[in-house]
Amino acid sequence: MKALLVVLALLLPIINAQVPHWGPCPEPATQPAFSLKKFMGRWFEIAKLPAQFERGRCIETNFTLKLDGTAHVVSSEILKGELKTIDGTAVVEDKRNPAKLGISFSYVLPYTPYWILSTDYENSALVYSCTDVLRLFHVDFAWILGRTRSLPAATIDHGKDIFTNNNIDVSRMILSRQQGCDKDL
């Protein structure tokens, strides 16, 4: 019991800005017949569950397929007037379900789930990530992505419905700030 309290005490500051939920992660349906190759390119963050690691504006991610079948990932945001970028790698973690990607932005940390729940590859995508903590609770992230800096309200509402129908609580989902992104910093 003491060890559990120590673990919780260490994790509490990390998850404080996130949205913890009791119980294990949900198992949402992912994009059937997902094509990593078609998913490559530039995606803009349209809406998200609040995340401690995303505090800026103009958040976008660019995926580039590598020869070994993984993807080079470059995420960027403007934070306090400065462009911040981070490089990572995406891998297909389950060949039987290629929409279940894992992403790591560090050589020492394990891959984090990055599941593509839905995409048409040309306009929008729904992404979900969840980390289970001792099956007692989980911390999750959800994103609505677009190939452009904005999407119609009906597309965003439909994306939220898909998350909700997969037992993902998006009641705290917020729109991302994508205005003034092309101006000089």
Side-chain angles (χ1 to χ4, degrees), residues 11 14-15 18-28 49 53 93 103 110-115 128-143:
L11 289 175
I14 297 169
I15 64 170
Q18 310 320 132
V19 183
H21 304 279
W22 290 109
C25 291
E27 286 285 333
L49 287 178
F53 53 86
E93 292 198 309
I103 288 188
Y111 287 95
T112 301
Y114 192 86
W115 294 2
Y128 181 66
S129 180
C130 188
T131 301
D132 206 3
V133 180
L134 305 172
R135 300 196 56 80
L136 294 174
F137 65 94
H138 64 276
V139 179
D140 58 359
F141 307 93
W143 297 272

Side-chain angles (χ1 to χ4, degrees), residues 140-169:
D140 58 359
F141 307 93
W143 297 272
I144 298 175
L145 306 178
R147 290 291 191 183
T148 59
R149 291 197 187 275
S150 64
L151 288 174
T155 302
I156 295 168
D157 290 341
H158 180 68
K160 288 180 178 180
D161 289 343
I162 291 173
F163 284 125
T164 300
N165 291 338
N166 278 283
N167 298 314
I168 298 165
D169 180 6

Side-chain angles (χ1 to χ4, degrees), residues 45-123:
E45 182 183 274
I46 305 301
K48 65 181 173 187
L49 287 178
Q52 179 64 29
F53 53 86
E54 291 180 329
R55 291 178 287 172
R57 62 184 178 85
C58 306
I59 297 172
E60 64 181 76
T61 302
N62 198 347
F63 294 85
T64 307
L65 196 60
K66 294 168 38 176
L67 292 176
D68 64 2
T70 64
H72 179 231
V73 181
V74 179
S75 288
S76 65
E77 68 179 341
I78 297 174
L79 183 63
K80 297 180 182 175
E82 187 177 329
L83 181 65
K84 306 277 187 181
T85 63
I86 187 167
D87 285 59
T89 301
V91 298
V92 173
E93 292 198 309
D94 181 354
K95 300 286 187 214
R96 294 169 304 186
N97 189 348
K100 288 187 174 183
L101 303 177
I103 288 188
S104 180
F105 291 99
S106 167
Y107 292 107
V108 295
L109 295 175
Y111 287 95
T112 301
Y114 192 86
W115 294 2
I116 313 303
L117 303 192
S118 177
T119 186
D120 63 3
Y121 303 102
E122 296 174 10
N123 298 296

